[in-house]
Amino acid sequence: MITFTIALHETTLYAQRKTESFFKEIEKPTILFASNNHSVIEKDTSEISFFSFEEGKAVPYYRKFVNTEDSKTSTVYVCENNSIVLSTPDFGQDAIYSWKGPAGFSSLSQQIRLEKITPFQAGFYNFTIKKNGSTTIGKVKLMVKERPKAIAVGGEFCLGEPVKLISADAGVGVTYRWTLPPTDFSSYTPELTVENLAVGHYTYYLSVAKNGCKSVDTAKVEVKNIPVAIANNAIIRVGQTAKLEAHDAGTEALYTWKGPYINTINNKIATLNGLTAGKYVYVLKVEKNGCSSMNISTVEVQKDDSKASAKNE
């Protein structure tokens, strides 16, 4: 029996480029077997090599010799959406190669590449090599493993508010990993809370793994500034008009006043007339970009003219 080598290459495909140190995902295939039916038996073993394409070069995982008389089929596992390369031995010039596989697959190449593997591509891949009247055959059983779905949820938060990161339920037997740049902190729970973030935009990475298969996703987070609610107080005499004015919180800010003789005023300035003697409390709420703050202003109405101040403080 002629000694020959079958090389299997497997690489992971991603929808978007991720940080290499975090998202590197290489999976070891199991033993790959091929038999040879040449009439002249030279050896009773076949040498099997496994390779992974990493940084543009093939890196061997290990080599193993298997007994071709005892082994008929070898099983290779691959994750959904990966690509895989199956390569027969190179028999040189004038060799004729033929592959047949599931769903009507066929090829006349020495090497076949299956892109973005789906469960429909699982099954037996048989190859035949013919040269000088001799035939070499081999068989590989390809098993497709389920790839868990990674769905990371971030959102918009206000300054000082805890940031909650959530992963959608990816099923039983799944492990989760969050990385929180720029620090090296990691979390292994489906949900977590991040405190004390400054105003800005953040990207958090989620990895979901099951049975050696991984999926990744990112959660976008925006931490927004809180508008400041500040306004004056006022002291007036009976019969005068009180004027409460909020400090400018910028464009698109919404000002709301609530208190005695006011239902709701969506205005930066609240003008109060007809107040009787006494002390009145008004609540100012300022909203902008989904964030808000509140503060209190007071109006004191005096009926003794000699003690009254006609101006606002």
Side-chain angles (χ1 to χ4, degrees):
M1 182 169 293
I2 295 176
T3 299
F4 56 86
T5 302
I6 299 174
L8 181 146
H9 314 283
E10 183 176 345
T11 56
T12 303
L13 301 180
Y14 294 112
Q16 56 183 314
R17 185 178 180 85
K18 305 297 182 183
T19 304
E20 182 178 353
S21 61
F22 176 64
F23 291 110
K24 184 180 292 183
E25 178 186 334
I26 305 295
E27 299 168 26
K28 278 189 178 181
T30 55
I31 296 173
L32 181 63
F33 169 76
S35 61
N36 186 307
N37 69 347
H38 280 281
S39 57
V40 178
I41 298 179
E42 296 182 356
K43 293 183 179 180
D44 64 353
T45 60
S46 291
E47 183 183 354
I48 309 304
S49 300
F50 299 98
F51 296 87
S52 170
F53 281 119
E54 194 173 347
E55 298 180 354
K57 60 183 179 180
V59 181
Y61 283 129
Y62 57 89
R63 293 174 181 267
K64 184 170 183 177
F65 289 91
V66 296
N67 189 314
T68 57
E69 298 301 326
D70 297 335
S71 303
K72 299 302 181 184
T73 304
S74 122
T75 302
V76 177
Y77 293 88
V78 62
C79 297
E80 284 182 279
N81 206 42
N82 275 15
S83 65
I84 191 169
V85 174
L86 301 181
S87 178
T88 73
D90 185 357
F91 273 44
Q93 190 175 3
D94 298 327
I96 300 174
Y97 304 92
S98 176
W99 288 87
K100 291 188 180 299
F105 175 84
S106 64
S107 175
L108 298 178
S109 300
Q110 179 205 348
Q111 186 180 86
I112 61 173
R113 183 182 183 91
L114 306 176
E115 302 282 0
K116 295 185 178 180
I117 296 293
T118 70
F120 298 103
Q121 292 170 281
F124 292 98
Y125 287 80
N126 301 276
F127 68 82
T128 302
I129 306 172
K130 294 183 179 181
K131 184 176 181 179
N132 299 330
S134 297
T135 300
T136 299
I137 62 172
K139 179 185 292 188
V140 179
K141 184 179 182 181
L142 184 64
M143 299 291 288
V144 180
K145 295 191 292 183
E146 177 187 3
R147 183 180 294 278
K149 289 185 178 181
I151 301 177
V153 181
E156 299 178 348
F157 301 87
C158 299
L159 182 63
E161 182 182 1
V163 171
K164 294 183 179 180
L165 302 175
I166 301 174
S167 170
D169 187 358
V172 179
V174 170
T175 58
Y176 302 86
R177 183 190 177 194
W178 292 91
T179 55
L180 312 177
T183 70
D184 294 328
F185 173 75
S186 294
S187 175
Y188 297 89
T189 59
E191 299 183 11
L192 74 155
T193 301
V194 185
E195 304 274 2
N196 303 319
L197 290 180
V199 172
H201 292 81
Y202 301 84
T203 300
Y204 297 104
Y205 301 96
L206 170 68
S207 173
V208 177
K210 181 179 181 180
N211 296 328
C213 296
K214 292 183 180 179
S215 292
V216 296
D217 195 20
T218 57
K220 301 292 185 179
V221 168
E222 180 183 1
V223 178
K224 298 182 292 187
N225 238 328
I226 298 177
V228 179
I230 302 177
N232 62 297
N233 299 315
I235 299 177
I236 63 172
R237 296 191 301 268
V238 173
Q240 290 184 322
T241 298
K243 182 181 179 181
L244 299 177
E245 182 173 359
H247 286 205
D248 190 0
T251 58
E252 299 182 0
L254 177 64
Y255 308 87
T256 303
W257 294 91
K258 288 191 176 182
Y261 301 97
I262 295 178
N263 183 11
T264 298
I265 298 178
N266 293 321
N267 202 317
K268 183 179 176 181
I269 301 174
T271 302
L272 307 170
N273 294 297
L275 297 178
T276 59
K279 192 170 185 179
Y280 302 84
V281 176
Y282 296 90
V283 178
L284 168 65
K285 181 179 181 181
V286 181
E287 298 177 89
K288 185 177 180 180
N289 297 327
C291 297
S292 66
S293 65
M294 294 189 296
N295 208 341
I296 292 176
S297 292
T298 61
V299 174
E300 183 179 348
V301 182
Q302 298 177 347
K303 62 181 178 179
D304 186 352
D305 292 347
S306 63
K307 297 181 180 179
S309 172
K311 63 180 181 179
N312 291 331
E313 291 182 346

